Amino acid sequence: MNTEINIEEIMKEIRQNIKDRGYDKEPISFDEIEMPKAVMQNGEKYDEEVLLSELDFLMHNCSNSFHVPVNGRNPFTVFIKRVIRKLTRFIIVPLVDFQNAYNVSNLKCINQMKAYMAELEEYKTKIDKLENELKEMKGE
């Protein structure tokens, strides 16, 4: 029995599969990747209500808890799930903590962008006011 793995032969097969499928001719575009429509809504105009709604959702859902109740009809299954949770806790808790920190950081960034946009809106109002005053002065 030959247990040696021929990497070159495997790579040759992979390369041939890529050629047979035509992937080597044109790169895959984002349009070819299936994504939910809600995620891929590009080109929309700015809508403050959508921003505020999404911010509200993020603020209330940015933190995940490792301590979700384990439920089930079968007591044995619930017991097994609890054992598995205790055994994997040392792996899962740091991941949940990292994800929570990441979520909070993103929320802070978005809040900063919202504040910056409000500041820009103030400047836009001031510029419009100054342009109107300048037009009035030139008209006199």
Side-chain angles (χ1 to χ4, degrees):
M1 182 174 168
N2 188 1
T3 59
E4 283 187 37
I5 298 174
N6 187 340
I7 295 173
E8 284 304 316
E9 188 64 34
I10 294 170
M11 290 304 296
K12 187 177 175 182
E13 287 178 31
I14 292 171
R15 287 184 190 103
Q16 188 59 46
N17 280 335
I18 290 171
K19 282 183 182 178
D20 291 346
R21 294 179 183 170
Y23 295 148
D24 62 333
K25 294 174 184 146
E26 284 186 38
I28 297 174
S29 71
F30 282 110
D31 295 335
E32 296 171 328
I33 300 171
E34 288 188 36
M35 293 289 283
K37 286 183 182 178
V39 173
M40 297 302 292
Q41 288 180 340
N42 293 335
E44 282 188 15
K45 291 188 176 187
Y46 170 69
D47 186 343
E48 188 174 9
E49 285 184 35
V50 172
L51 174 68
L52 295 176
S53 170
E54 294 298 326
L55 262 174
D56 185 57
F57 175 81
L58 289 173
M59 280 193 254
H60 289 94
N61 296 290
C62 69
S63 184
N64 299 300
S65 177
F66 175 74
H67 306 287
V68 178
V70 177
N71 297 320
R73 293 182 184 170
N74 186 339
F76 181 72
T77 304
V78 171
F79 173 76
I80 295 298
K81 287 179 181 179
R82 286 186 179 154
V83 168
I84 291 171
R85 176 182 284 179
K86 287 189 189 248
L87 292 173
T88 59
R89 180 181 175 85
F90 75 98
I91 296 171
I92 303 299
V93 169
L95 292 174
V96 170
D97 289 344
F98 176 79
Q99 184 65 51
N100 286 340
Y102 179 80
N103 292 348
V104 168
S105 179
N106 276 313
L107 185 57
K108 287 179 181 178
C109 287
I110 294 170
N111 276 321
Q112 286 296 304
M113 288 176 16
K114 179 183 168 228
Y116 182 70
M117 288 170 51
E119 204 172 296
L120 287 178
E121 191 63 38
E122 286 178 29
Y123 289 135
K124 183 180 181 287
T125 303
K126 287 179 183 178
I127 289 171
D128 289 343
K129 181 181 174 187
L130 290 171
E131 283 179 343
N132 288 335
E133 287 177 13
L134 185 61
K135 284 179 187 175
E136 287 176 11
M137 289 177 151
K138 284 184 177 181
E140 291 181 3

